[in-house]
Amino acid sequence: MSLHRFFLDEQVLSAEEGSTFELRLSDEDLRHARVLRLSPGEHIAVVDASGDYFECRVESTGNPLVASVASRLGCPEPPFRITLYQALAKGDKMETVVRHATEVGACAFVPFASSRSVVRLDASKAARKRDRWSSIARSAAMQSGRGLVPEVSDVNTFRQACEGLGRYDAVVVFWEEASCEDTIARALERVKDTPDADVALIVGPEGGLSESEVEAVLASNKAASVASLGPSILRTETAGIVGCALASYELGGMGGGPCPTEGRAR
C-alpha cells in the first residue's frame, strides 16, 4: 500500500534538530490529515520545501501533528519537465485538466486566452481561478504520489504565452489540422536523449487554435512543431490530459515499475 503524501511549503526536515518535530502543514493539509484519521505509529510520505522526500512516522496527532523521520526515500520526479499551456475552457473543464494532467506528469500549467476562448476573466476572477486550480493541483499531486506540486501560473494573454515559449527544449502544439503522421513521438524525437528536457505542450480551446495562432507558436521557438492526437477530434480537456500522458510516456516517465522505497507495509 502506498503512503499518504504531504507537501511542506516552508519546512526543511534536514534542518530539524530533534528526533521528533512538528510538521508544519498547511491548513488544507491538516484538515486532510484529520479526514485520514492518522494514528501514532502510522507512516506517511513527506516532500519538504527543498524537494527532499522522506518517510515519516506519526508520533502524535492533532494540531500540531508531530512526526519523526523513518527513512529518506529515493523516488524523485523524472528529470524531464512538462508544462501544459492550456487555453481557457468553459465550466469546470480547466479543473478537470489540472487534476488529471497532474496525475499523468504535468509539472506546470500556463492557462491562456486565445481568440476562440469563450471564457473571459477579469483580474479578480482570474486570481480566484488560479488559486482554485493551484489547490486542485496540490490535491492531485498528493493523491497520485507525485514528488512535486505543479505550479499554476497567472492567466496569460496569447501574446504572453508565446513570449514564454522560447526557453523550452521542445514545443508541441496539438492541432486538429495536423497530419496523423505528425505524431508526438516525432515531435519529441530531438529531446528523447536529453534526460532533463524541458517541454511545453500547447492545447487550444473549444474550436481549437486559429491557423495564425499556430503559426505564431511555431515562430516562437525553432524547436516547435505541430502534432496530431489521432484521427478523432478530442475535446479540449481530453486533449490536454492525453497529450501530457503521451509526452510523459515518450520521455520515459510512465514505463517503469513501482518505486522500490514505496509500497512497504506500515
Side-chain angles (χ1 to χ4, degrees), residues 21 26 31 49 61 67 78-79 120 143 146 154 179 215 234 238:
F21 46 83
S26 68
R31 286 193 295 270
T61 58
R120 302 293 173 182
Q143 181 275 325
R146 293 291 301 274
D154 293 332
S179 166
E215 291 173 351
L234 303 182
T238 308

Side-chain angles (χ1 to χ4, degrees), residues 53-245:
Y53 188 33
F54 298 89
E55 180 176 339
C56 291
R57 182 181 189 276
V58 176
E59 301 296 340
S60 66
T61 58
N63 188 3
L65 188 151
V66 176
S68 60
V69 171
S71 64
R72 184 166 179 172
L73 299 177
C75 183
E77 286 278 306
F80 59 82
R81 181 178 174 86
I82 296 172
T83 298
L84 176 61
Y85 283 68
Q86 174 73 48
L88 294 175
K90 295 184 294 184
D92 60 359
K93 293 179 180 179
M94 291 294 293
E95 296 183 6
T96 299
V97 171
V98 170
R99 179 177 294 108
H100 297 305
T102 294
E103 294 174 4
V104 298
C107 297
F109 296 93
V110 181
F112 70 95
S114 72
S115 62
R116 294 175 181 169
S117 293
V118 175
V119 177
R120 302 293 173 182
L121 302 175
D122 59 30
S124 177
K125 191 169 184 179
R128 291 196 299 272
K129 288 285 189 180
R130 179 181 179 273
D131 289 344
R132 171 63 177 161
W133 299 330
S134 295
S135 177
I136 289 171
R138 186 184 189 92
S139 176
M142 293 171 67
Q143 181 275 325
S144 58
R146 293 291 301 274
L148 58 77
V149 176
E151 178 184 357
V152 182
S153 80
D154 293 332
V155 176
N156 280 212
T157 64
F158 179 75
R159 176 176 292 182
Q160 288 172 329
C162 285
E163 289 173 350
L165 294 175
R167 66 180 180 85
Y168 293 95
D169 299 313
V171 173
V172 182
V173 53
F174 296 112
W175 192 34
E176 62 272 16
E177 299 297 328
S179 166
C180 286
E181 295 180 357
D182 294 324
T183 63
I184 191 167
R186 177 181 291 182
L188 295 177
E189 186 174 7
R190 62 170 61 90
V191 295
K192 287 191 71 171
D193 294 328
T194 305
D196 57 349
D198 199 358
V199 174
L201 308 178
I202 318 297
V203 174
E206 299 92 346
L209 296 170
S210 68
E211 185 173 354
S212 62
E213 286 173 328
V214 172
E215 291 173 351
V217 170
L218 295 178
S220 69
N221 189 312
K222 293 181 180 179
S225 57
V226 297
S228 169
L229 288 172
S232 300
I233 297 177
L234 303 182
R235 294 177 181 271
T236 181
E237 68 272 27
T238 308
I241 298 162
V242 171
C244 284

